[in-house]
Amino acid sequence: GGLGDVLGGLPPAMAANGHRVMTVSPRYDQYKDAWDTGVPVEIKVGGRVETVRFFHCYKRGVDRVFVDHPSFLERVWGKTGSKIYGPSAGEDYKDNQFRFSLLCQAALEAPRVLNLNSNKYFSGTYGDEVVFIANDWHTALLPCYLKAIYKPKGIYENAKVVFCIHNIAYQGRFPISDFSVLNLPENLKGSFDFIDGYNKPVKGRKINWMKAGLLESDRVVTVSPFYAQELVSGEDKGVELDNIIRKTGITGIVNGMDVQEWNPATDKYLDTKYDSTTVLDAKPLVKEALQAEVGLPVDRNIPVIGFIGRLEE
């Protein structure tokens, strides 16, 4: 959804500004142009040691890194008939915490272990002078592991974490007993501690990944100035994290647009391409093509209104 859009467009824009940029995401599919780097890493999750591998491709100035582990690949819609986050809407996979703990720890390893030389301006590993941008609850353990495991060893001493909220409604709330599977010290438990009035997934005390991510990061940002105001305006809009966000502070940075992908002069999905000089002639033709495709009356004088957003209960 929106997060995919941001991670598609924002990193190339940052790379164009002269930064060395890497994205780290789960390898949910056999991405045809991402190759195995041959670098395995051992990660401790839930009392056992797991091996992950990194796949890599280089596009538009960005190192795209994918974390390979059976728990990601077996969750792909299309390959298994199931979805990424849960078997059906509103239901979570039992191993979500395991998988996203794996992702967070792998993302902390990638800049240190991957020797990447695709970029003509940069070569070798990224080292540990980096800024991590953690997106939504799935990545909220990253600042926690950074503080608990890496910094005490003198690694990533100057690294910073920016936590970005794309959708406050999904926070990663789990039973309090699950804290023990995260391999974090007890002194971080307070950052996760959370009580709400719901009986899902259990009644009473819970852990809340997003709460911990907000508290343990260096800066909190979100996807527009208006959304930033909304999140601190009250308990319903901040979905019970409004008081935490007021404490940490938040900066709203409006989502940009990838002008390369959304360029009507080169868009492969448009039958009639156009630019600012031909827009008035071309748009009625594009409208008629759309009307015909979706079975509406074909009439260039009828307004067509598009809405992009989530459909949910």
Side-chain angles (χ1 to χ4, degrees):
L3 177 54
D5 230 6
V6 172
L7 287 204
L10 178 60
M14 294 169 83
N17 280 346
H19 298 288
R20 190 178 191 192
V21 186
M22 174 195 294
T23 59
V24 184
S25 18
R27 185 169 175 260
Y28 282 130
D29 211 339
Q30 314 280 1
Y31 304 125
K32 64 179 188 297
D33 43 7
W35 297 91
D36 191 344
T37 59
V39 180
V41 192
E42 291 193 337
I43 289 171
K44 195 175 171 195
V45 189
R48 61 187 203 258
V49 174
E50 297 286 332
T51 301
V52 299
R53 303 176 73 82
F54 297 102
F55 282 62
H56 171 257
C57 64
Y58 180 76
K59 287 184 172 175
R60 293 175 65 188
V62 179
D63 286 309
R64 300 286 188 181
V65 172
F66 302 96
V67 180
D68 182 58
H69 186 271
S71 66
F72 292 127
L73 272 181
E74 66 199 19
R75 289 286 180 253
V76 186
W77 208 346
K79 293 279 188 292
T80 62
S82 62
K83 303 180 179 67
I84 285 175
Y85 300 117
S88 60
E91 192 184 346
D92 287 341
Y93 287 126
K94 298 283 180 277
D95 68 348
N96 274 354
Q97 292 190 90
F98 167 82
R99 291 189 298 139
F100 293 118
S101 168
L102 210 58
L103 173 67
C104 293
Q105 294 188 66
L108 281 157
E109 285 294 305
R112 301 177 56 232
V113 301
L114 294 181
N115 189 0
L116 303 173
N117 298 305
S118 312
N119 192 319
K120 66 181 180 195
Y121 302 106
F122 305 104
S123 62
T125 64
Y126 277 57
D128 59 8
E129 299 275 325
V130 295
V131 175
F132 292 98
I133 303 174
N135 295 282
D136 277 352
W137 75 262
H138 319 84
T139 58
L141 295 188
L142 187 144
C144 305
Y145 290 128
L146 182 68
K147 190 174 277 190
I149 298 170
Y150 289 88
K151 293 208 173 193
K153 293 180 185 166
I155 306 167
Y156 287 131
E157 281 184 301
N158 299 319
K160 298 281 190 244
V161 184
V162 179
F163 190 79
C164 183
I165 301 172
H166 296 260
N167 189 337
I168 192 76
Y170 300 94
Q171 298 176 1
R173 301 182 189 186
F174 300 99
I176 189 91
S177 55
D178 286 357
F179 182 76
S180 58
V181 304
L182 304 180
N183 297 102
L184 285 166
E186 278 295 309
N187 65 348
L188 277 177
K189 198 170 187 176
S191 295
F192 286 83
D193 199 1
F194 191 75
I195 292 184
D196 62 22
Y198 301 100
N199 295 336
K200 282 178 69 176
V202 287
K203 195 171 181 167
R205 254 199 156 79
K206 299 179 172 68
I207 56 173
N208 184 321
W209 280 36
M210 187 178 271
K211 179 191 169 192
L214 294 169
L215 289 172
E216 300 302 333
S217 294
D218 298 287
R219 286 291 294 273
V220 178
V221 301
T222 189
V223 294
S224 78
F226 183 75
Y227 197 45
Q229 289 171 4
E230 199 176 291
L231 294 181
V232 294
S233 67
E235 197 175 274
D236 56 334
K237 291 280 196 274
V239 194
E240 299 171 279
L241 286 179
D242 52 305
N243 55 342
I244 301 291
I245 297 169
R246 277 194 289 273
K247 183 176 164 184
T248 60
I250 189 166
T251 307
I253 305 171
V254 75
N255 268 342
M257 185 178 75
D258 185 335
V259 292
Q260 188 170 322
E261 180 159 5
W262 300 103
N263 179 359
T266 57
D267 194 327
K268 64 176 183 278
Y269 296 106
L270 290 179
D271 294 332
T272 309
K273 297 178 181 29
Y274 59 88
D275 60 22
S276 57
T277 61
T278 54
V279 59
L280 295 178
D281 296 321
K283 277 192 99 170
L285 299 172
V286 176
K287 181 196 287 188
E288 288 173 345
L290 176 64
Q291 289 168 330
E293 190 175 327
V294 298
L296 291 169
V298 177
D299 180 347
R300 63 174 55 196
N301 296 314
I302 296 177
V304 171
I305 298 167
F307 169 73
I308 300 172
R310 55 175 58 231
L311 282 172
E312 58 172 326
E313 61 283 345

